[in-house]
Amino acid sequence: MDQKLHREDSLAIARELYAKGAVSRRDFLGICAMLGVGVAGASLGGRPAQAAAGEITISNFGGDAIKAYDEAWCQPFTKATGTKVAIDGAGPLPGNIKKMVDEKNVIWDVSDGDGFYGLQLGPNYCEPIDYTVVDKTALFPWNQWDLAVGNYVYSNVIAYDKTKVPEAPTSWADFFDLKKFPGKRTMWKWFLGMPEACMMAAGKKPDEIYPIDMKLVVDMVKSLGDSLVLWESGASSQQLFLDGEVVMGNIWSTRSSVLERDTKGRVTWTWNGQIATAGAWVLPKGGKKLKDAMAFIASTQDPVKQVKLLDLMGNGPANPKALALLSEAQKRLNPTSNLDAGIIRNEQWYAENYDAALGTWLDAIAG
Amino acid sequence: MAARDARGRLDPYWWFVAPILLIVVFLYLLPLGNVLLLSVTDPDLGFGNYERLATAAGPVRVLLTTLRICAITTVFAVGLGFVVAYAMANAGERHQKLLLVAVLVPLWISVLVRAFSWLILLRDQGLVNQWLMAVGITDEPLPLVRNELGVIIGMVHYLIPYAVLPIFAVMKGIDPRVLAASRSLGAGASTTFLRVYLPLTLPGAFAATVIVFVFALGFYVTPAILGGGRVVMLAESVSVAILQTVRWGFGAAQSVVLLLLTLALIGIMARTVGLKKGLG
């Protein structure tokens, strides 16, 4: 609520400055995007942007994603339907959704998240997806559930610093090979997408990854000893490479492509062994604008909009029909164009085991 | 608690405190009661969450790590704080002011900024390691951060002012004539310090110990950043249970343990040195 008020206030200030000519139109639009308000919603005429009947609020993880979602999904939706879309970048962790529903104060009509959110939170906390509105054929089969539906695909990949490894690593086995590739490597503290890497490194075939053998994961991770550094946020995974502190990392593909650009190719990545993951929309139970929310979700399936998000953030399309639209350069950055090289994360396993496995994992990395 | 005067009327000064008391009850005690309730009702009625806390390997380890780091941090923060306070108490007035500013300024800098500053200084490619290697003291970077050592360095730095202030307050209150008397009765400098001065400063040192330890228990940001993800303390464990694994009952049980530890320590302080004396 505070955030919303603050956003409106910031917007009011920006609008004032624009009216006075103190900021350019371009800057003003930039500010609107940062605040998660579509241009139509910001209304240069001076009409106040308020949470009215024709507005829904979606949540995401903030940062660059706010601007990207706005450009790829929210603005076109507002243009087509007149329904404004506000973005709250507060970070939709499952606990936040539970709190909102428990307090009967559902602010997010649609929430970004992982595929397993719906499975983990269950029907008491999430609205079912209406597949008469949302098109099943515009989704990979592993991208749809009763209580969640794919919005994009992200991936965990092996990124490496070309100047610090003797040759390009090609597998997770290389990642764990301290002799051949000396130096520190980084993994994600929060576990998702890490055990798969350990399983593959231990020689498991793609169809043997699940159920995850946590004992094996613990052994593998402990074998890295002090060469293991953990990243916490996407930004920190990038920083570790920029500072030259690590030679390799299990990081998000979205970050690895940015790193390649920013380091002029010093840091790059391989799709081999990628762990492709379904990002997903969930609808917190009790939202008042279900129909608009469902229409919004359906609108994000459009292949062109999906490709737009790939261009803006490196998130791959969840709609297989989008693949045909991609140029060679886009395919190189897109997880779903490289699915053959890796595996797909099993959301069911996470829904059933996240709690216990995360505990075991935190214990192993802390030891 | 002299709430009523001799004629049994309520002390009028209590009316000044009443609004705050009400706020505390509604905004603090009621939610706290809710947390207590949650810890024995979610997901099932009973003490399952506490049982898990006391028996499962992970949670026990988090608790032990927390206590160990807090203990080490407290020893160093109070030890170093004692030295600083001693210098302050015995320095000239101008130096004393200067020292006080030097102690207080870090207090006003965000804990986040301080943690990142330490990270920049202590990491492998950081200033300290670069200097050590340039001078030839070591060949490869020392593991100064992203481990327990880093966490302790950051926490000690954060907590030293909280140790200095109560000790300083007590030291300022010591009558110099007592020391002079000790010297005139034939005790040497070190005997006077050990047998007269030190015992007189103990209430301050003890208060500092409790304050620092209690503060350390709830640390979240510093261990998360300087531990490099490899040091998980109680506060962070609570956050994981609430936000990620959605086990609110378990998070609540951990919070209750944290609260009980804190209350126990404050209780010990109140019993031994007295809250007023201890807090200067």
Side-chain angles (χ1 to χ4, degrees):
Chain A
M1 221 38 206
D2 280 340
Q3 195 139 10
K4 214 165 185 177
L5 292 172
H6 177 255
R7 188 177 57 221
E8 276 172 25
D9 181 55
S10 311
L11 192 63
I13 293 167
R15 202 183 290 117
E16 225 167 83
L17 290 174
Y18 173 66
K20 276 194 218 151
V23 296
S24 66
R25 183 186 160 84
R26 197 193 147 122
D27 285 346
F28 176 67
L29 295 181
I31 294 167
C32 292
M34 271 191 295
L35 296 169
V37 187
V39 183
S43 64
L44 294 175
R47 210 157 42 86
Q50 55 193 352
E55 173 167 335
I56 59 170
T57 302
I58 69 168
S59 72
N60 72 8
F61 289 94
D64 294 344
I66 293 181
K67 194 164 176 278
Y69 283 29
D70 187 48
E71 229 173 278
W73 285 333
C74 303
Q75 290 183 29
F77 182 69
T78 306
K79 219 170 172 184
T81 62
T83 304
K84 294 169 204 161
V85 184
I87 304 176
D88 181 351
L93 292 170
N96 298 122
I97 296 172
K98 177 174 153 73
K99 175 167 171 280
M100 221 172 248
V101 176
D102 278 346
E103 290 173 352
K104 297 195 172 37
N105 181 25
V106 175
I107 299 166
W108 301 335
D109 298 293
V110 182
S111 174
D112 200 358
D114 272 306
F116 71 89
Y117 275 27
L119 298 165
Q120 183 191 27
L121 287 164
N124 290 334
Y125 289 97
C126 299
E127 298 282 355
I129 304 298
D130 182 352
Y131 282 107
T132 61
V133 180
V134 177
D135 181 8
K136 268 196 175 181
T137 67
L139 292 161
F140 290 103
W142 43 274
N143 243 327
Q144 39 189 288
W145 301 267
D146 292 344
L147 300 171
V149 57
N151 50 5
Y152 55 77
V153 176
Y154 69 94
S155 177
N156 281 91
V157 294
I158 308 170
Y160 57 96
D161 187 330
K162 276 191 209 166
T163 61
K164 294 197 167 144
V165 288
E167 58 183 87
T170 55
S171 69
W172 291 111
D174 286 348
F175 185 88
F176 283 89
D177 190 342
L178 290 169
K179 275 215 186 75
K180 196 168 160 199
F181 300 93
K184 293 198 171 170
R185 40 270 272 154
T186 184
M187 296 179 94
W188 197 29
K189 178 177 179 180
W190 299 116
F191 182 60
L192 303 167
M194 300 300 119
E196 291 85 350
C198 298
M199 295 288 281
M200 281 189 257
K204 301 280 181 192
K205 306 237 156 36
D207 59 342
E208 298 168 349
I209 304 291
Y210 299 98
I212 300 276
D213 176 356
M214 281 309 291
K215 207 178 151 308
L216 184 66
V217 169
V218 169
D219 289 345
M220 290 300 291
V221 131
K222 290 209 163 178
S223 76
L224 289 177
D226 288 337
S227 298
L228 175 66
V229 175
L230 294 149
W231 56 275
E232 207 157 335
S233 65
S236 70
S237 73
Q238 221 169 307
Q239 199 59 42
L240 286 167
F241 277 103
L242 289 175
D243 293 344
E245 292 221 35
V246 295
V247 301
M248 263 191 261
N250 179 343
I251 69 173
W252 291 322
S253 58
T254 44
R255 290 286 175 176
S256 65
S257 59
V258 175
L259 266 169
E260 188 182 64
R261 191 189 66 206
D262 291 353
T263 60
K264 300 193 173 62
R266 174 169 68 87
V267 178
T268 186
W269 79 99
T270 170
W271 287 113
N272 282 342
Q274 76 150 320
I275 300 139
T277 302
W281 296 123
V282 288
L283 300 109
K285 186 98 183 170
K288 300 278 181 296
K289 291 162 186 156
L290 269 184
K291 245 184 101 187
D292 287 334
M294 217 60 82
F296 172 76
I297 290 176
S299 83
T300 64
Q301 295 187 293
D302 175 48
V304 177
K305 292 180 195 169
Q306 292 260 315
V307 174
K308 179 98 184 158
L309 199 72
L310 173 68
D311 283 339
L312 291 169
M313 288 186 73
N315 285 330
N319 183 348
K321 290 172 193 162
L323 296 181
L325 305 177
L326 299 179
S327 67
E328 282 310 310
Q330 285 169 322
K331 280 181 192 163
R332 206 187 142 254
L333 304 180
N334 175 32
T336 48
S337 299
N338 298 279
L339 288 174
D340 296 346
I343 62 157
I344 290 155
R345 202 176 86 182
N346 184 331
E347 301 304 291
Q348 187 69 41
W349 185 84
Y350 277 99
E352 284 164 14
N353 298 284
Y354 187 40
D355 183 17
L358 176 64
T360 312
W361 165 261
L362 287 177
D363 218 28
I365 57 175
Chain B
M1 285 288 192
R4 287 165 194 281
D5 65 13
R7 281 168 295 175
R9 271 204 319 238
L10 196 67
D11 190 334
Y13 287 110
W14 276 95
W15 292 112
F16 289 106
V17 192
I20 295 174
L21 281 179
L22 276 177
I23 289 173
V24 167
V25 167
F26 277 103
L27 295 184
Y28 197 73
L29 291 183
L30 288 183
L32 207 61
N34 200 12
V35 168
L36 268 173
L37 198 68
L38 206 59
S39 73
V40 287
T41 55
D42 180 284
D44 306 301
L45 199 65
F47 291 94
N49 289 318
Y50 291 95
E51 198 185 312
R52 186 169 175 216
L53 201 56
T55 54
V60 168
R61 185 160 168 169
V62 167
L63 194 63
L64 291 178
T65 306
T66 308
L67 291 175
R68 182 176 63 244
I69 291 177
C70 289
I72 299 173
T73 300
T74 306
V75 168
F76 280 99
V78 173
L80 293 169
F82 190 93
V83 177
V84 174
Y86 188 66
M88 272 167 64
N90 291 293
E93 201 168 330
R94 269 190 50 201
H95 286 126
Q96 193 178 89
K97 276 193 183 131
L98 212 64
L99 282 168
L100 196 63
V101 169
V103 168
L104 287 178
V105 166
L107 257 184
W108 299 321
I109 298 173
S110 148
V111 58
L112 204 64
V113 172
R114 288 206 250 170
F116 278 116
S117 310
W118 277 114
L119 192 63
I120 289 166
L121 280 177
L122 299 177
R123 65 181 191 208
D124 283 5
Q125 320 287 329
L127 286 175
V128 174
N129 268 320
Q130 272 178 349
W131 178 79
L132 284 175
M133 285 189 286
V135 188
I137 297 176
T138 55
D139 291 334
E140 49 184 83
L142 297 176
L144 298 174
V145 80
R146 297 208 177 90
N147 51 29
E148 233 172 87
L149 176 65
V151 174
I152 290 169
I153 291 175
M155 283 175 65
V156 167
H157 176 236
Y158 189 90
L159 289 166
I160 282 180
Y162 294 93
V164 169
L165 296 175
I167 300 176
F168 176 64
V170 169
M171 282 177 174
K172 284 292 277 183
I174 293 175
D175 191 337
R177 286 174 299 182
V178 177
L179 304 178
S182 160
R183 296 299 294 271
S184 70
L185 290 170
S190 55
T191 312
T192 302
F193 180 80
L194 286 174
R195 298 194 53 190
V196 181
Y197 193 76
L198 198 60
L200 284 172
T201 61
L202 278 185
F206 195 73
T209 304
V210 174
I211 292 169
V212 168
F213 197 91
V214 165
F215 261 111
L217 276 177
F219 260 56
Y220 179 89
V221 174
T222 310
I225 294 172
L226 295 177
R230 307 198 66 173
V231 184
V232 180
M233 284 174 66
L234 211 44
E236 192 170 9
S237 186
V238 171
S239 146
V240 172
I242 301 285
L243 287 174
Q244 302 204 30
T245 59
V246 201
R247 290 233 170 182
W248 286 19
F250 184 63
Q254 285 182 306
S255 311
V256 170
V257 168
L258 205 55
L259 182 71
L260 289 179
L261 275 170
T262 307
L263 288 179
L265 286 164
I266 293 175
I268 292 173
M269 181 164 94
R271 276 292 164 92
T272 47
V273 275
L275 278 179
K276 221 171 171 179
K277 200 167 177 189
L279 295 172

